[in-house]
Amino acid sequence: MTKKRQAKVLSEVQLRAWLAAGKPISKSDGDGLTFTLSSAGAAAWVLRYRVGGRRRELTVGRYPDMSLQAARRIAARERLRVGDGVDVAAEKRRARHASLAAWTVRQTFTDYAEKVLATRKASTRRVWGGYLRAWVLPRLGAMVAADVQPADVRAMLVAAGARGPGAVKTLQAATRAVFEHARGLMIREDNPAIGIKRQSVVKVKPARKGASLAGDELTRFLRAIPNDVEGDALRVHLMTGVRPGELCGAPWSEFDLDAATWRIEGVRTKKGEGYTIRLPPQAIEALRRIKAGTHKSAFVLPATRGEDDRPIPYQTYRAWLWRALDRAEIGRKAIKPHDLRRTMRSGLAMLGVRYEVAERAINHKLPELAEIYDRNDYADEREAALARWADYLDACSAPNVVPIKRRA
C-alpha cells in the first residue's frame, strides 16, 4: 500500500518571518522535509528519513540560499533514492571523505592554519607560518597530501639546511604539525615528517646543557656590571629570573612600582598564563633608574634605532650581556641571557628555598600530578625568596665581602 503524501504546510512568508525573529525553531513541511533555525541564526533544510528502522538526517541546503521550492524538489529526489534502499546521508559523508583524500598540501595547510595554528602563541604563528609559507607551500603545496613521501620532506629539509640546523629543526616541527593535522582529517595514516633525523640532513652541534654563574664567577660578573641602563637591566634579570623575552619586551604598563609588582601578561609567557612578581627593593631601585634614563618610552628597554617606539631586540640585550662578560673575563660562549635565569634558579636552591617555591618563582609548572593537585601560588614565599636572593647578590657584589649562605 502506497504511503500517503503529507500536505505541504510551509510558505516563504513564514520562513522570512522566522528568520527575522532569530529564535531557534524546527518546522516540518511534510514528508520528512524540515526547516531548522539554530540559536546562532543558521537556517537549513533537513530531510529526515528511516533506513533499516534507524532514523537518519540529510542536510539538503541552507536557507535562503536554497528556496522552499528548490528544497522540495531536492527532497523529493532524495526520497526516491531512499525508497530504493540508499542511505543518502551516509553516501554524502563518504563523498565528503573522498574529497578530503584528494586535498593538496596547500589545502591541508589552509585548514591547519585556520583551526590549529591560529590558536598558538603569536611568536609560533609568525615563525611557523613563515617557514611553512616559504618552504612547504612552494615545494610541496601542489602535491596531494596523501601522496607526500618522507623523501619529499627530506629533500625540502636538505634545501633548508643551508640556513643551519636551527632552520631545519623549526621547518621539520612545523611540517610535522601540518601532516599530523592531515592524519586527524583521515587524509593519511602516517606522518612523512616523522623519523627523519636532523643529523642525516645537516651537521648538528651537540646540544648545549646550559650554565649558571656561581661563586667567584658570579662575584666577578656582578662587579663588572656597569651603573647604567644596561647594567640595571642585567640586575633586574638576575633578581627576577624571568625569560629574556619577557624582560626585553616588557612594557611599563605591567609594572606598579609603588606596589612593587610586575604582572607579566599571559600573551607574553611561555605557559600562556599571566603571573605576578613581587619585586625586591633592589629591583624597584634599578627600574626607577631605568625609567629615568629611558624618558617617555612605553617600554622598559626601548630600541634606540628607528622612529617607532618599540622594545629592544634580543640581540641587543645579548650584546649588553657580552660586554659585561668581557669585563668580568668570562667567555662569551659560556653564558647566554637565559643562563641568568638559570643562575637565579640555582641560587634559590643554594639558599635553601623549597623546590616548589623556587619553581613557581620562575613560573615553571610542577611535575605531573603535583601541578594538578598543588594549586598554590606561593606568593608570600616567592616574595621572601626573591628578597633573600637580592640580598645575596648585593653581598656578592660588595667589595671584600664573602656572602653567607643561610638555609630557609
Coordinates of all heavy atoms in Angstrom, one line a residue, residues 228-289:
D228 N 74.5 51.7 34.6 CA 73.7 52.4 33.6 C 72.5 51.6 33.3 O 72.2 50.6 34.0 CB 74.5 52.7 32.3 CG 75.2 51.4 31.8 OD1 74.8 50.3 32.1 OD2 76.1 51.6 31.0
V229 N 71.8 51.9 32.3 CA 70.6 51.2 31.9 C 70.9 49.7 31.6 O 70.2 48.8 32.0 CB 69.8 51.9 30.7 CG1 68.7 51.0 30.2 CG2 69.3 53.2 31.1
E230 N 72.0 49.5 30.9 CA 72.4 48.1 30.5 C 72.6 47.3 31.8 O 72.1 46.2 31.9 CB 73.6 48.1 29.7 CG 73.5 48.8 28.3 CD 74.7 48.7 27.5 OE1 75.6 47.9 27.8 OE2 74.9 49.4 26.5
G231 N 73.3 47.9 32.7 CA 73.6 47.2 34.0 C 72.4 46.9 34.8 O 72.2 45.9 35.4
D232 N 71.5 47.9 34.9 CA 70.3 47.8 35.7 C 69.4 46.7 35.1 O 68.7 46.0 35.8 CB 69.6 49.1 35.8 CG 70.2 50.0 36.8 OD1 70.8 49.5 37.8 OD2 70.2 51.2 36.6
A233 N 69.4 46.6 33.7 CA 68.6 45.6 33.1 C 69.1 44.2 33.5 O 68.3 43.3 33.8 CB 68.6 45.7 31.6
L234 N 70.4 44.0 33.5 CA 71.0 42.8 33.9 C 70.7 42.4 35.3 O 70.5 41.3 35.7 CB 72.5 42.8 33.6 CG 73.0 42.9 32.2 CD1 74.5 43.1 32.1 CD2 72.6 41.6 31.4
R235 N 70.7 43.5 36.2 CA 70.4 43.2 37.6 C 69.0 42.8 37.8 O 68.7 41.9 38.6 CB 70.7 44.5 38.4 CG 72.2 44.9 38.5 CD 72.4 46.1 39.4 NE 73.8 46.6 39.4 CZ 74.3 47.5 38.6 NH1 73.5 48.1 37.8 NH2 75.6 47.8 38.7
V236 N 68.1 43.5 37.1 CA 66.7 43.1 37.2 C 66.5 41.6 36.7 O 65.7 40.9 37.3 CB 65.8 44.0 36.4 CG1 64.3 43.5 36.3 CG2 65.8 45.4 37.0
H237 N 67.2 41.3 35.6 CA 67.1 39.9 35.1 C 67.6 38.9 36.1 O 66.9 37.9 36.4 CB 67.9 39.8 33.8 CG 67.6 38.6 33.0 ND1 68.2 38.4 31.8 CD2 66.7 37.6 33.2 CE1 67.7 37.2 31.3 NE2 66.8 36.7 32.2
L238 N 68.7 39.2 36.7 CA 69.2 38.3 37.7 C 68.3 38.2 39.0 O 68.1 37.1 39.5 CB 70.6 38.8 38.2 CG 71.8 38.2 37.4 CD1 73.1 38.9 37.9 CD2 71.9 36.7 37.6
M239 N 67.7 39.3 39.4 CA 66.9 39.3 40.6 C 65.5 38.6 40.4 O 65.0 38.1 41.3 CB 66.7 40.7 41.1 CG 67.9 41.3 41.8 SD 67.6 42.9 42.6 CE 67.9 44.0 41.2
T240 N 65.0 38.6 39.1 CA 63.7 38.1 38.9 C 63.7 36.7 38.2 O 62.7 36.0 38.3 CB 62.9 39.1 38.0 OG1 63.5 39.3 36.8 CG2 62.7 40.4 38.7
G241 N 64.7 36.4 37.5 CA 64.8 35.1 36.8 C 63.8 35.0 35.7 O 63.4 33.8 35.3
V242 N 63.3 36.1 35.1 CA 62.3 35.9 34.0 C 63.0 35.5 32.7 O 64.2 35.5 32.7 CB 61.6 37.3 33.7 CG1 60.8 37.7 34.9 CG2 62.6 38.4 33.3
R243 N 62.2 35.0 31.8 CA 62.8 34.7 30.5 C 63.3 35.9 29.8 O 62.7 37.0 29.9 CB 61.8 33.9 29.6 CG 61.4 32.6 30.2 CD 60.4 31.8 29.3 NE 60.2 30.5 29.8 CZ 59.4 30.1 30.8 NH1 58.6 31.1 31.4 NH2 59.3 28.9 31.2
P244 N 64.4 35.8 29.0 CA 64.9 37.0 28.3 C 63.9 37.8 27.5 O 63.8 39.0 27.6 CB 66.0 36.5 27.4 CG 66.5 35.2 28.1 CD 65.2 34.7 28.7
G245 N 63.0 37.1 26.8 CA 62.0 37.8 26.0 C 61.0 38.5 26.9 O 60.5 39.6 26.4
E246 N 60.7 38.0 28.1 CA 59.8 38.7 29.0 C 60.3 40.0 29.5 O 59.6 41.0 29.7 CB 59.4 37.8 30.1 CG 58.6 36.5 29.7 CD 58.5 35.5 30.8 OE1 59.2 35.7 31.9 OE2 57.7 34.6 30.7
L247 N 61.7 40.1 29.6 CA 62.3 41.3 30.0 C 62.5 42.3 28.9 O 62.1 43.4 29.0 CB 63.7 41.0 30.6 CG 64.5 42.3 31.0 CD1 63.8 43.1 32.1 CD2 65.9 41.8 31.5
C248 N 63.0 41.8 27.7 CA 63.2 42.6 26.6 C 61.9 43.3 26.1 O 62.0 44.5 25.7 CB 63.8 41.8 25.4 SG 65.5 41.3 25.8
G249 N 60.8 42.6 26.1 CA 59.6 43.1 25.6 C 58.7 43.7 26.6 O 57.5 44.1 26.3
A250 N 59.1 43.9 27.8 CA 58.3 44.4 28.9 C 57.8 45.8 28.7 O 58.6 46.7 28.6 CB 59.0 44.2 30.3
P251 N 56.5 46.1 28.8 CA 56.0 47.5 28.8 C 55.9 48.0 30.2 O 55.7 47.2 31.1 CB 54.6 47.3 28.1 CG 54.2 46.0 28.5 CD 55.4 45.1 28.6
W252 N 55.9 49.3 30.4 CA 55.8 49.8 31.7 C 54.4 49.6 32.3 O 54.2 49.6 33.5 CB 56.1 51.3 31.7 CG 57.5 51.7 31.6 CD1 58.2 52.3 30.6 CD2 58.5 51.4 32.7 NE1 59.5 52.4 30.9 CE2 59.7 51.9 32.2 CE3 58.5 50.8 33.9 CZ2 60.9 51.9 32.9 CZ3 59.6 50.7 34.7 CH2 60.8 51.2 34.2
S253 N 53.4 49.3 31.4 CA 52.1 49.1 31.9 C 51.9 47.9 32.8 O 51.0 47.7 33.5 CB 51.1 49.0 30.7 OG 51.5 47.9 29.8
E254 N 52.9 47.0 32.7 CA 52.9 45.8 33.5 C 53.4 46.0 34.9 O 53.2 45.1 35.8 CB 53.7 44.6 32.9 CG 53.1 44.1 31.6 CD 53.9 42.9 31.0 OE1 55.1 42.7 31.5 OE2 53.4 42.2 30.1
F255 N 54.0 47.2 35.2 CA 54.6 47.4 36.5 C 53.8 48.4 37.3 O 53.2 49.3 36.8 CB 56.0 48.1 36.2 CG 57.0 47.1 35.7 CD1 57.1 46.9 34.3 CD2 57.9 46.4 36.5 CE1 58.0 46.0 33.7 CE2 58.8 45.5 35.9 CZ 58.9 45.3 34.6
D256 N 53.8 48.2 38.6 CA 53.3 49.1 39.6 C 54.5 49.3 40.6 O 54.6 48.5 41.5 CB 52.1 48.6 40.3 CG 51.4 49.6 41.2 OD1 52.2 50.5 41.7 OD2 50.2 49.5 41.5
L257 N 55.3 50.3 40.3 CA 56.5 50.5 41.1 C 56.2 50.9 42.6 O 56.9 50.5 43.5 CB 57.4 51.5 40.5 CG 57.9 51.2 39.1 CD1 58.9 52.3 38.6 CD2 58.6 49.8 39.1
D258 N 55.1 51.5 42.8 CA 54.7 51.9 44.1 C 54.2 50.7 44.9 O 54.5 50.5 46.1 CB 53.5 52.9 44.1 CG 54.0 54.3 43.5 OD1 55.2 54.6 43.7 OD2 53.1 54.9 42.9
A259 N 53.6 49.7 44.2 CA 53.1 48.5 44.9 C 54.2 47.4 44.8 O 54.1 46.3 45.4 CB 51.9 48.0 44.3
A260 N 55.3 47.7 44.1 CA 56.4 46.8 43.9 C 56.0 45.5 43.3 O 56.4 44.4 43.7 CB 57.1 46.5 45.2
T261 N 55.2 45.6 42.2 CA 54.8 44.4 41.5 C 55.0 44.5 40.0 O 55.0 45.6 39.4 CB 53.3 44.1 41.7 OG1 52.5 45.2 41.2 CG2 53.0 43.8 43.2
W262 N 55.2 43.3 39.4 CA 55.3 43.2 37.9 C 54.4 42.1 37.5 O 54.6 40.9 37.8 CB 56.8 42.8 37.6 CG 57.0 42.7 36.1 CD1 56.2 42.9 35.1 CD2 58.3 42.2 35.5 NE1 56.8 42.6 33.9 CE2 58.1 42.2 34.1 CE3 59.5 41.9 36.0 CZ2 59.1 41.8 33.2 CZ3 60.5 41.5 35.1 CH2 60.3 41.5 33.7
R263 N 53.3 42.4 36.8 CA 52.4 41.5 36.3 C 52.6 41.2 34.8 O 52.3 42.0 34.0 CB 50.9 42.0 36.5 CG 49.8 41.2 35.9 CD 49.7 39.9 36.6 NE 48.7 39.0 35.9 CZ 48.3 37.8 36.3 NH1 48.9 37.3 37.4 NH2 47.4 37.1 35.7
I264 N 53.2 40.1 34.5 CA 53.5 39.7 33.2 C 52.3 39.0 32.6 O 51.8 38.1 33.1 CB 54.7 38.7 33.1 CG1 56.0 39.3 33.8 CG2 55.1 38.4 31.7 CD1 57.2 38.4 33.8
E265 N 51.8 39.6 31.5 CA 50.6 39.2 30.9 C 50.8 37.8 30.2 O 51.8 37.5 29.7 CB 50.1 40.2 29.8 CG 49.7 41.5 30.4 CD 48.7 41.5 31.5 OE1 47.8 40.6 31.4 OE2 48.7 42.3 32.4
G266 N 49.7 37.0 30.2 CA 49.7 35.7 29.7 C 50.2 35.6 28.2 O 50.8 34.6 27.9
V267 N 49.9 36.6 27.4 CA 50.2 36.5 26.0 C 51.8 36.6 25.8 O 52.3 36.3 24.8 CB 49.6 37.6 25.2 CG1 48.1 37.4 25.1 CG2 49.9 39.0 25.8
R268 N 52.5 37.0 26.9 CA 53.9 37.1 26.8 C 54.7 36.0 27.5 O 55.9 36.0 27.6 CB 54.4 38.5 27.3 CG 53.9 39.6 26.6 CD 54.7 40.9 26.7 NE 55.1 41.2 28.0 CZ 56.4 41.1 28.5 NH1 57.3 40.7 27.7 NH2 56.7 41.4 29.7
T269 N 54.0 35.0 28.1 CA 54.6 34.0 28.8 C 54.6 32.7 28.0 O 53.7 32.5 27.2 CB 53.9 33.7 30.2 OG1 52.6 33.2 30.0 CG2 53.8 35.0 31.0
K270 N 55.5 31.8 28.3 CA 55.6 30.5 27.6 C 54.4 29.6 28.0 O 53.9 28.9 27.1 CB 56.9 29.8 28.1 CG 57.2 28.5 27.3 CD 58.5 27.9 27.7 CE 58.8 26.7 26.9 NZ 60.1 26.1 27.3
K271 N 53.9 29.7 29.2 CA 52.8 28.9 29.6 C 51.5 29.5 29.1 O 50.4 28.8 29.1 CB 52.7 28.8 31.1 CG 53.8 27.9 31.8 CD 53.8 28.1 33.3 CE 52.5 27.9 33.9 NZ 52.6 28.0 35.4
G272 N 51.5 30.7 28.7 CA 50.2 31.4 28.2 C 49.4 31.8 29.4 O 48.2 32.1 29.2
E273 N 50.0 31.8 30.6 CA 49.2 32.3 31.8 C 50.0 33.4 32.4 O 51.2 33.3 32.6 CB 49.1 31.1 32.8 CG 48.3 29.9 32.2 CD 48.3 28.8 33.2 OE1 48.9 28.9 34.3 OE2 47.8 27.7 32.8
G274 N 49.3 34.5 32.8 CA 50.0 35.6 33.4 C 50.4 35.3 34.9 O 49.8 34.4 35.5
Y275 N 51.4 36.0 35.3 CA 51.8 35.8 36.7 C 52.4 37.1 37.3 O 52.9 37.9 36.5 CB 52.7 34.6 36.9 CG 54.1 34.8 36.5 CD1 55.2 34.8 37.4 CD2 54.4 34.8 35.1 CE1 56.5 35.0 37.0 CE2 55.8 34.9 34.7 CZ 56.8 35.0 35.6 OH 58.1 35.1 35.2
T276 N 52.3 37.2 38.6 CA 52.8 38.4 39.2 C 54.0 38.2 40.1 O 54.1 37.2 40.8 CB 51.7 39.0 40.2 OG1 50.5 39.3 39.4 CG2 52.1 40.3 40.9
I277 N 55.0 39.1 39.9 CA 56.2 39.0 40.7 C 56.2 40.2 41.7 O 56.0 41.3 41.3 CB 57.5 39.1 39.8 CG1 57.5 38.0 38.7 CG2 58.7 39.1 40.6 CD1 58.6 38.2 37.7
R278 N 56.4 39.8 43.0 CA 56.5 40.9 44.0 C 58.0 41.2 44.0 O 58.9 40.4 44.5 CB 56.0 40.4 45.3 CG 54.5 40.1 45.4 CD 54.1 39.7 46.8 NE 52.7 39.3 46.8 CZ 52.2 38.8 47.9 NH1 52.9 38.7 49.1 NH2 50.9 38.4 47.9
L279 N 58.4 42.4 43.6 CA 59.8 42.8 43.4 C 60.5 43.2 44.7 O 59.9 43.9 45.5 CB 59.8 43.9 42.4 CG 59.2 43.6 41.0 CD1 59.0 44.9 40.2 CD2 60.1 42.6 40.2
P280 N 61.7 42.8 44.8 CA 62.5 43.2 46.0 C 62.9 44.7 45.8 O 62.9 45.2 44.7 CB 63.8 42.3 46.0 CG 63.9 41.9 44.5 CD 62.5 41.8 44.0
P281 N 63.2 45.4 46.9 CA 63.5 46.8 46.8 C 64.6 47.1 45.8 O 64.6 48.2 45.1 CB 64.0 47.2 48.3 CG 63.3 46.2 49.1 CD 63.2 44.9 48.3
Q282 N 65.7 46.2 45.7 CA 66.8 46.5 44.8 C 66.3 46.5 43.4 O 66.8 47.3 42.6 CB 67.8 45.4 45.0 CG 68.5 45.4 46.4 CD 67.8 44.4 47.3 OE1 66.6 44.3 47.3 NE2 68.6 43.8 48.2
A283 N 65.3 45.7 43.0 CA 64.8 45.7 41.7 C 64.0 47.0 41.4 O 64.1 47.5 40.3 CB 63.9 44.5 41.4
I284 N 63.3 47.4 42.4 CA 62.5 48.7 42.2 C 63.4 49.8 42.0 O 63.2 50.7 41.1 CB 61.6 48.9 43.5 CG1 60.5 47.8 43.6 CG2 61.0 50.3 43.4 CD1 59.6 47.8 42.4
E285 N 64.5 49.9 42.7 CA 65.5 51.0 42.6 C 66.1 50.9 41.2 O 66.2 52.0 40.5 CB 66.6 50.8 43.6 CG 66.2 51.1 45.0 CD 67.3 50.7 46.1 OE1 68.4 50.4 45.6 OE2 67.0 50.8 47.3
A286 N 66.4 49.7 40.7 CA 67.0 49.6 39.3 C 66.0 50.0 38.3 O 66.3 50.7 37.3 CB 67.5 48.2 39.1
L287 N 64.7 49.7 38.4 CA 63.7 50.0 37.5 C 63.5 51.5 37.5 O 63.2 52.1 36.4 CB 62.4 49.3 37.8 CG 62.4 47.8 37.4 CD1 61.3 47.0 38.1 CD2 62.4 47.6 35.9
R288 N 63.5 52.2 38.6 CA 63.3 53.6 38.7 C 64.5 54.3 37.9 O 64.3 55.3 37.3 CB 63.2 54.1 40.1 CG 61.9 53.7 40.8 CD 61.7 54.4 42.2 NE 60.6 53.9 42.9 CZ 59.3 54.2 42.7 NH1 59.1 55.1 41.7 NH2 58.4 53.7 43.4
R289 N 65.7 53.8 38.1 CA 66.8 54.4 37.4 C 66.7 54.2 35.9 O 66.9 55.1 35.1 CB 68.1 53.7 37.9 CG 68.5 54.1 39.3 CD 70.0 53.8 39.6 NE 70.2 52.3 39.5 CZ 70.1 51.5 40.5 NH1 69.8 52.0 41.8 NH2 70.4 50.2 40.4

